[in-house]
Amino acid sequence: MRRRLLLLPAALLVAWGWRWAGLGALRRARSAQPGLGLIFEGGPDPQVTPALLAALGEAGVQATFALDGAAARRYPDLVRAVHAQGHDVAARLPRHPWTWGAARHATAALRSVLGQDPAGLSVGARPTLTGWLAGFLAGAPVIAGQGRAGPDGTLSGVRPGALLHLPGTDERLAAQLPARLADLRAREFEVLPLRDLRGLRPERARDLPATALQEVDVWYDRLGRIRRVGNRASSLFRAGTAPYPLADQPLREGGAVRRGERLIEFHLDSARLTELAERPVAGRRIVTASVRDLARALRDDPDLNTFGAVFSISIFSDVLGLYGFTVVDLPPAHERRLTWWSRVIRRAYGVSDPQKRHTPKLAVMSRAAFVERHARD
C-alpha cells in the first residue's frame, strides 16, 4: 500500500522533470544565426490579426501564428490570409486542457481550414503540467518557447534562437509591434518563422547537460548580481564585481591590481560561443562588438564605472590578449580545477574536440585603458 501511495508523487516528479527539460519539444534554435522566432498566441481576431499582418508586412517580417481551433473555424478566411502571407500557422493549446482530446481538436480544426497539418501545437512559455501532457498526446510537434511579453509589453528571453510567445489578440501589442520590430532589427536580430530557424529541433536527452548548465548560470548570476552587458544579438558578456583572486599583478599599460581588490569580472556566454564556432569570421566580429559593449558599459554605467580594472578567467584569455589585456597564468591547483570545469562545459555543449586541452588563464586590464581603447560609439 505504501509503495502505491509513493507512485503518484514519483510520477509527478518525473513529469515535472520532463517539462523542465523540454524533452521532445521545440524550445530554441541552435545556430550562429541571430534568428528569433515570434509566436502570436490566440486568434484569429478580426480586429487584431489584420493589424498584426499589416505591421509584419510593412517590416518585411514573417512569424508564426498559433491559432485557436474554435476561432479558426469562425474566421477561416483570416487563417488563410495568415498562411498566404507566408507566416507559419500552428495550433494553440486551449486555455483549459482538462479534456485530453482538446489539443487534438485544435490541430484538427486548423488542418480542416488549411488543408494541411499545422506547423505544431503551441503550449505557451509556461505551460501547466496537464497542458504539457495534453500537448504531447495531440501528436503534433509541441512548441514551448521560453520567452514572452510582460504586462507592460517588455520582452523577456530575447537571445539568438529564442522562441517568444506574444499575445495575438492584444490590440496594444498590435500598436506596439512596428516599434518592437524596429528595435529587434536595430539589435541585429532576424525575426523568422519556425521553418527558417536553423538548428530548431526537439530537445533530446543529450541536451540535458546544456540545459542544466544554463540553469546554473541563471542562479549563479542571481546570487552574484551578474547581468548581461549589451542588448544585442552579438552580446556575449555578463558582468559583475569580484575580488581579484591572484597575487598583485602589474599591467602592460602601467599600474597594477592588488590581490583582494574589488574589480569588474566578466563572464562569457559559453552556449553562444559554441554556436559561433561554425562561423569563426563572424565569431571574431561578434567578440569585437561585445568588447565594445563592455567598454561602453564601463564608461557609462554608474554601477560599473568606479572600479579600477576589469578581468576574466576563461580558456579564451589568450584571445583577450589581442584586445590589450595582460594575460596571467593561474596557479596549478586553480588551473587543474578550471581545466576540468572547462572540459565539462565543452562536453555539455557538444564541442567537437572535447579532449583537446584548452588552458584557462586570467586576463586583466585597467578600466581606463580598456575604455580608452574600445569604447567607440
Side-chain angles (χ1 to χ4, degrees):
M1 183 65 178
R2 183 176 300 175
R3 289 182 179 178
R4 291 180 180 178
L5 290 174
L6 291 175
L7 286 178
L8 180 58
L12 289 174
L13 183 61
V14 170
W16 178 87
W18 175 34
R19 187 188 67 171
W20 169 82
L23 295 179
L26 301 173
R27 295 213 297 185
R28 59 189 171 216
R30 295 168 174 82
S31 170
Q33 175 196 43
L36 190 71
L38 299 186
I39 305 169
F40 296 99
E41 298 276 343
D45 182 287
Q47 302 300 319
V48 179
T49 303
L52 293 175
L53 291 175
L56 292 168
E58 181 69 22
V61 165
Q62 292 179 328
T64 301
F65 284 75
L67 303 176
D68 296 313
R73 291 187 187 277
R74 286 197 301 272
Y75 306 108
D77 289 343
L78 275 179
V79 177
R80 297 187 187 104
V82 170
H83 186 257
Q85 292 188 29
H87 305 287
D88 281 346
V89 177
R92 181 185 183 226
L93 186 74
R95 287 180 176 272
H96 303 290
W98 298 110
T99 303
W100 296 119
R104 193 180 299 275
H105 293 158
T107 57
L110 269 297
R111 188 182 302 115
S112 67
V113 173
L114 292 173
Q116 64 183 55
D117 287 335
L121 176 70
S122 175
V123 297
R126 293 183 175 178
T128 63
L129 185 56
T130 54
W132 181 261
L133 295 173
F136 279 93
L137 287 174
V142 172
I143 304 165
Q146 297 171 295
R148 61 196 182 97
D152 60 351
T154 303
L155 302 181
S156 63
V158 179
R159 57 158 294 153
L163 306 183
L164 306 186
H165 297 269
L166 308 178
T169 57
D170 187 341
E171 293 182 359
R172 293 171 301 175
L173 177 66
Q176 296 167 355
L177 190 58
R180 295 286 182 200
L181 293 173
D183 176 61
L184 290 172
R185 178 174 291 140
R187 292 160 60 186
E188 304 172 352
F189 285 98
E190 299 176 37
V191 178
L192 299 168
L194 295 180
R195 66 179 183 273
D196 290 337
L197 284 169
R198 291 196 295 269
L200 179 65
R201 57 166 174 75
E203 297 289 303
R204 306 167 184 168
R206 71 184 185 189
D207 297 321
L208 284 173
T211 300
L213 279 178
Q214 290 174 11
E215 192 75 16
V216 169
D217 280 345
V218 169
W219 285 102
Y220 180 78
D221 289 355
R222 287 178 183 173
L223 293 173
R225 298 182 179 179
I226 298 165
R227 54 191 173 85
R228 187 169 293 276
V229 176
N231 203 24
R232 301 184 295 172
S234 60
S235 300
L236 292 175
F237 298 150
R238 295 137 45 222
T241 64
Y244 185 71
L246 303 184
D248 296 357
Q249 175 65 45
L251 303 177
R252 65 162 74 172
E253 64 272 16
V257 292
R258 308 297 179 189
R259 182 181 182 90
E261 178 184 0
R262 199 149 194 93
L263 305 174
I264 299 297
E265 181 180 17
F266 67 97
H267 308 264
L268 286 71
D269 186 332
S270 298
R272 187 67 178 139
L273 284 169
T274 300
E275 293 162 354
L276 290 169
E278 65 186 70
R279 295 172 60 192
V281 175
R284 176 64 185 272
R285 177 181 60 80
I286 289 173
V287 169
T288 298
S290 296
V291 166
R292 290 174 180 167
D293 284 342
L294 179 60
R296 285 191 289 267
L298 295 184
R299 179 192 65 191
D300 302 331
D301 190 330
D303 292 331
L304 301 176
N305 63 11
T306 59
F307 295 88
V310 56
F311 75 95
S312 178
I313 301 175
S314 76
I315 61 174
F316 301 100
S317 291
D318 286 331
V319 175
L320 293 175
L322 301 175
Y323 292 88
F325 282 80
T326 299
V327 179
V328 184
D329 290 332
L330 298 173
H334 283 66
E335 181 182 310
R336 286 193 298 271
R337 183 177 70 255
L338 293 175
T339 298
W340 171 83
W341 181 240
S342 170
R343 189 175 295 118
V344 168
I345 292 174
R346 290 160 57 76
R347 284 184 179 276
Y349 288 116
V351 177
S352 58
D353 59 343
Q355 295 300 330
K356 184 177 179 181
R357 182 176 176 82
H358 293 264
T359 304
K361 298 180 181 180
L362 184 145
V364 60
M365 190 174 184
S366 75
R367 188 190 65 81
F370 185 68
V371 168
E372 181 180 1
R373 181 166 177 169
H374 296 294
R376 303 173 187 174
D377 291 318

